[in-house]
Amino acid sequence: MTAAAKTLIIACGALAREVRALSDQLPAFDLRCVPATLHNRPQRIVPALERILDETGSAYERTVIAFGDCGTGGALDRLCAARGLERLPGAHCYAFFAGLSEFDAMMEEELGTFFLTDFLARQFETMVIRPLGLDRKPELRDLYFGHYKRLVFLSQTDDDDLLANANVAAARLGLAFEHRPTGLMAFARDLERLSTPLAA
Amino acid sequence: MSDEPELILADLSDDELVEQMKDDLYDGMGPEIAEGTQILLDRGWDANAILTESLVEAMRIVGLDFGDGILFVPEVLSAANAMKGGMELLRPILAANDAVKPTGRVVIGTVKGDIHDIGKNLVAMMLEGAGFEVMDLGINTDVEEFLKAYDEFNPDLLGMSALLTTTMPYMGVVIEEFEKRGLRKDCGIFVGGAPVNQEFADAIGATEYGGDASNTVELAKRFMGVNRP
Ligand code: B12
């Protein structure tokens, strides 16, 4: 714990880099992360957060939950309500990186859209291919993605390597590729609002 | 090339073959399941016996091991796909047999805005395996499609699946519409999907919440009065 930090941000591992990138814009904070692999077992997210909250107790004036609902089916919101905490708005990181209405518009435009963020473009093998077993059973691809038409890369930074990765990922999944840079503006705004105490 | 001698399914006795098919289904071996199914048919086995003794029984174990965290989504998906291959051979035979009355009639779909369908497909297949006649509306199903299917198919049960927190509430929309039209008295409404739980199912007024495919089959049979003392 840094002596000065009065704010604790508990983030999904998939957001750690992005939260750190905003250090300059946010009040001093400590960061604790929950493994991003819990994505695939969302029922374990709330217990993992509870453990961290119990450990840190009242050491911080403010605790921010840098998570979407992430498939907890409302359980995360119930945890937040019970402990007087707030989480990021929206169902998942794709929505709050893109901005909620922009995300809805993309789904409206083509429901068969699979999203990548910088994190997923970087960790495509670990976070997508392996958990879906596509390394061992490539023949499952069309059972998973048969209803999908396009892959949209929501990029947070301007990084040619990630862009190339995302392109290859789309080809590997047999999907058309689109790139929509989101930057970190919407995310920064949400995080700033949650980590800054309201003016009295 | 492997050193193991290749297993010739046709050389196995009936009992050995049924056991082998259970192993093969667990391992997601589609062609072997189709082949084994055909061999049993050729030996004069009853289609329903093949279904329940090998395919459904093996898939039940896959479901249990998935629930216990021994198997993961890819294994479940390949097992389900292997089972589908066997079912395709058996379905026409089962359908042609007028002597067997279906356990009940089910309309099922993944709700509007959602295109996750692995769990829904598995539930549909296990219900079919238990003798239900199933009309599968696929993915992204809106209330009009559910209503239309209700009119056409006259189901005993309506099943809805949702995997996204954002699409779960739509199940409530469909239930309300069925309620409003007075369609619920002769049609049970079952809901499921990973983020759904009993509490949510109760809140939207579903008849039953099915946590997994086997559990759903038991609940569906009970709803139809099968196994009632
Ligand atoms: C596999 C999967 C996918 C596959 C889907 C393939 C397919 N054809 O369905 C792919 C990779 C394509 C995918 C895509 C996406 N996914 Co997805 N996916 C999953 C995952 C890992 C497993 C779901 C699954 O199939 N489980 C296996 C089956 C057997 O289990 P089940 O569905 O729970 O079904 C059982 C029971 O629930 C029940 N049941 C199911 N249906 C029914 C119906 C009835 C009537 C009854 C009684 C019972 C019942 O019985 C079933 C059998 O036992 C979940 C995480 C998880 N562990 O749940 C995320 C998850 C659902 N996905 C998620 C997300 C965010 C997405 C994407 C947006 C990701 C992206 N990068 O774009 C896209 C969706 C885009 C879109 N256009 O909608 C989130 C949802 C978050 C939220 N807030 O709701 C989850 C929770 C992962 C996460 N934490 O991020 N996904």
Side-chain angles (χ1 to χ4, degrees):
Chain A
M1 201 205 304
T2 52
K6 296 191 172 134
T7 300
L8 173 68
I9 300 182
I10 309 179
C12 170
L15 301 172
R17 209 181 248 260
E18 286 70 24
V19 173
R20 283 205 193 91
L22 296 174
S23 294
D24 293 346
Q25 300 177 44
L26 301 173
F29 64 86
D30 288 334
L31 176 63
R32 290 278 303 263
C33 288
V34 173
T37 43
L38 291 193
H39 265 118
N40 290 329
R41 328 215 68 197
Q43 65 285 4
R44 298 195 183 169
I45 292 175
V46 166
L49 288 171
E50 274 173 334
R51 264 195 305 279
I52 297 181
L53 289 170
D54 291 341
E55 262 168 51
T56 49
S58 49
Y60 295 89
E61 276 176 19
R62 237 183 140 70
T63 300
V64 175
I65 307 290
F67 267 86
D69 167 83
C70 297
T72 63
L76 182 52
D77 284 334
R78 286 190 288 279
L79 172 74
C80 287
R83 306 235 183 176
L85 302 173
E86 270 193 87
R87 68 164 175 90
L88 290 165
H92 36 59
C93 51
Y94 318 104
F96 52 68
F97 279 144
L100 303 189
S101 52
E102 181 62 19
F103 180 82
D104 288 345
M106 279 189 276
M107 288 298 249
E108 187 76 24
E109 188 180 293
E110 174 55 73
L111 189 57
T113 304
F114 187 69
F115 297 94
L116 292 187
T117 57
D118 279 6
F119 172 78
L120 286 178
R122 194 177 289 114
Q123 302 289 340
F124 187 65
E125 205 60 41
T126 321
M127 293 298 301
V128 181
I129 294 295
R130 260 184 263 147
L132 295 181
L134 291 173
D135 49 342
R136 294 169 284 132
K137 301 167 184 276
E139 72 279 6
L140 297 183
R141 184 187 82 172
D142 295 342
L143 294 174
Y144 284 117
F145 290 96
H147 297 300
Y148 287 77
K149 301 283 183 298
R150 66 171 180 182
L151 181 149
V152 170
F153 176 37
L154 304 168
S155 64
Q156 284 67 62
T157 56
D158 200 1
D159 181 324
D160 288 342
D161 290 341
L162 293 183
L163 183 59
N165 283 0
N167 232 308
V168 171
R172 194 152 167 204
L173 298 180
L175 304 175
F177 179 73
E178 270 179 50
H179 180 202
R180 308 231 180 160
T182 69
L184 278 173
M185 285 267 281
F187 184 57
R189 209 183 315 116
D190 290 333
L191 210 53
E192 232 176 306
R193 181 176 54 79
L194 296 186
S195 41
T196 314
L198 291 175
Chain B
M1 232 171 72
S2 120
D3 293 338
E4 271 187 40
E6 200 182 322
L7 186 70
I8 311 281
L9 292 180
D11 290 349
L12 300 178
S13 72
D14 285 11
D15 286 351
E16 286 168 342
L17 180 56
V18 168
E19 283 312 307
Q20 185 61 40
M21 282 172 68
K22 284 195 228 165
D23 287 350
D24 287 349
L25 192 130
Y26 191 92
D27 293 334
M29 295 163 71
E32 284 77 1
I33 289 301
E35 189 188 339
T37 303
Q38 191 58 53
I39 294 171
L40 289 176
L41 283 172
D42 293 344
R43 289 183 190 171
W45 270 57
D46 172 56
N48 198 41
I50 303 175
L51 186 63
T52 47
E53 285 174 38
S54 68
L55 307 187
V56 169
E57 179 51 23
M59 202 62 216
R60 192 182 66 83
I61 294 166
V62 171
L64 286 176
D65 284 0
F66 177 61
D68 290 342
I70 299 166
L71 294 181
F72 297 97
V73 177
E75 287 77 29
V76 175
L77 182 56
S78 28
N81 198 42
M83 178 167 174
K84 196 170 143 206
M87 291 281 276
E88 270 157 22
L89 293 169
L90 299 175
R91 191 176 291 124
I93 303 169
L94 292 168
N97 188 347
D98 296 331
V100 189
K101 225 174 123 286
T103 320
R105 296 163 72 82
V106 180
V107 162
I108 195 167
T110 298
V111 295
K112 184 176 158 186
D114 206 332
I115 61 178
H116 286 85
D117 64 357
I118 299 172
K120 182 267 296 166
N121 291 346
L122 187 55
V123 169
M125 202 157 61
M126 290 301 269
L127 284 169
E128 204 182 333
F132 284 84
E133 221 174 299
V134 179
M135 180 181 201
D136 187 345
L137 303 179
I139 52 169
N140 189 27
T141 312
D142 66 19
V143 65
E144 280 75 33
E145 291 169 278
F146 280 119
L147 287 168
K148 186 161 165 270
Y150 176 89
D151 286 341
E152 281 171 10
F153 194 69
N154 191 24
D156 304 296
L157 282 179
L158 176 72
M160 290 186 278
S161 182
L163 265 288
L164 297 169
T165 315
T166 46
T167 55
M168 278 162 61
Y170 194 78
M171 304 201 282
V173 173
V174 175
I175 292 180
E176 214 171 288
E177 194 58 39
F178 271 66
E179 187 88 60
K180 221 180 336 179
R181 294 179 186 229
L183 304 178
R184 290 204 59 183
K185 45 185 186 315
D186 31 46
C187 181
I189 301 189
F190 283 36
V191 296
V196 181
N197 58 25
Q198 185 68 54
E199 206 184 339
F200 179 79
D202 291 343
I204 60 171
T207 314
E208 293 286 3
Y209 158 69
D212 61 38
S214 303
N215 169 242
T216 301
V217 167
E218 288 318 308
L219 292 170
K221 282 196 204 157
R222 203 173 64 194
F223 181 81
M224 295 306 301
V226 180
N227 299 341
R228 221 176 252 172

